[in-house]
Amino acid sequence: MDLEFDSKAGTFPIATENDLELYAFRVASTVAASVLNLIFYHHQEDIKNDDYVRLIAAAERMGQALQYVNIARDIVQDAQYQRVYFPTSWLNEEGLTPSMVVENPTHPRLAVLRDRLLDKAETCAKDSQEAIDELPSKIRGPLRVTILSYMEIGKALRELQVSACDSKLKLPWWRLFKVAWAATY
């Protein structure tokens, strides 16, 4: 889908929310499912087929959640590459077009769309959070820390009260430590 972007021709492939979900699935859900399969293989877990299907679906949903946070964080950087991952239908609701975002990726109305995307990320993460308890015990903690650290980026974006950051948001070490501590204990 990334190869379909052509700002000069006015081609932006994320037209609808379904396109956004498909993009996030292709980019991140496939990785999450692959990682989970590696975990099952290396931990030699015997998992019933129904449980396997459910856990893979939860991993795919979590992958989408993390991708939505990534999109919300990288609005400015993506615009530099002439890419806009907000659905055009969402932009239209705010009186914007993908070309307008490329020209002004810090437009104040993008904050509404960023928050909408972060809401979607939080919903996906909540939907799949319980599945972590069913994974091998050795990987639960590190997995929780990774996921919660990423979701903390979404919280920090909301706290900034701006439409977009000029560079990739990086959390201070103390905040990451706090997230890791909470996830582990």
Side-chain angles (χ1 to χ4, degrees):
M1 287 177 86
D2 281 335
L3 297 175
E4 295 175 26
F5 281 97
D6 184 351
S7 64
K8 290 179 182 155
T11 305
F12 295 91
I14 314 288
T16 67
E17 191 166 342
N18 286 339
D19 294 333
L20 172 67
E21 291 168 0
L22 178 61
Y23 176 79
F25 182 86
R26 288 177 173 172
V27 171
S29 296
T30 54
V31 173
S34 297
V35 168
L36 196 54
N37 276 305
L38 286 170
I39 289 168
F40 292 151
Y41 176 80
H42 286 289
H43 289 273
Q44 298 181 352
E45 291 289 317
D46 256 348
I47 297 173
K48 295 177 199 162
N49 192 47
D50 289 348
D51 291 337
Y52 174 81
V53 169
R54 187 175 43 74
L55 291 171
I56 291 293
E60 291 170 346
R61 192 93 164 117
M62 186 62 76
Q64 285 178 302
L66 302 183
Q67 185 60 32
Y68 297 149
V69 171
N70 196 31
I71 292 169
R73 180 193 64 195
D74 295 342
I75 298 167
V76 172
Q77 292 78 22
D78 291 334
Q80 291 171 349
Y81 292 105
Q82 312 291 300
R83 295 182 178 164
V84 178
Y85 292 99
F86 290 119
T88 303
S89 60
W90 288 12
L91 292 168
N92 291 339
E93 291 170 17
E94 294 299 318
L96 298 169
T97 65
S99 297
M100 292 168 77
V101 176
V102 168
E103 291 299 314
N104 183 8
T106 59
H107 193 291
R109 280 185 269 165
L110 290 174
V112 171
L113 299 179
R114 184 213 52 223
D115 287 349
R116 184 173 175 181
L117 190 59
L118 292 172
D119 290 343
K120 193 169 180 64
E122 288 171 7
T123 298
C124 289
K126 285 178 189 171
D127 288 350
S128 54
Q129 196 71 31
E130 288 180 16
I132 295 171
D133 292 336
E134 299 178 52
L135 299 177
S137 59
K138 289 181 181 179
I139 60 99
R140 285 182 209 148
L143 198 56
R144 274 194 186 101
V145 169
T146 301
I147 291 166
L148 291 177
S149 295
Y150 226 80
M151 297 309 292
E152 191 71 15
I153 291 171
K155 289 179 186 175
L157 286 168
R158 288 185 196 267
E159 291 168 8
L160 287 174
Q161 299 289 319
V162 295
S163 57
C165 301
D166 289 336
S167 62
K168 281 197 176 196
L169 177 68
K170 293 183 180 149
L171 299 176
W173 71 267
W174 59 266
R175 191 163 179 173
L176 288 172
F177 179 78
K178 182 178 161 186
V179 168
W181 183 267
T184 306
Y185 300 102

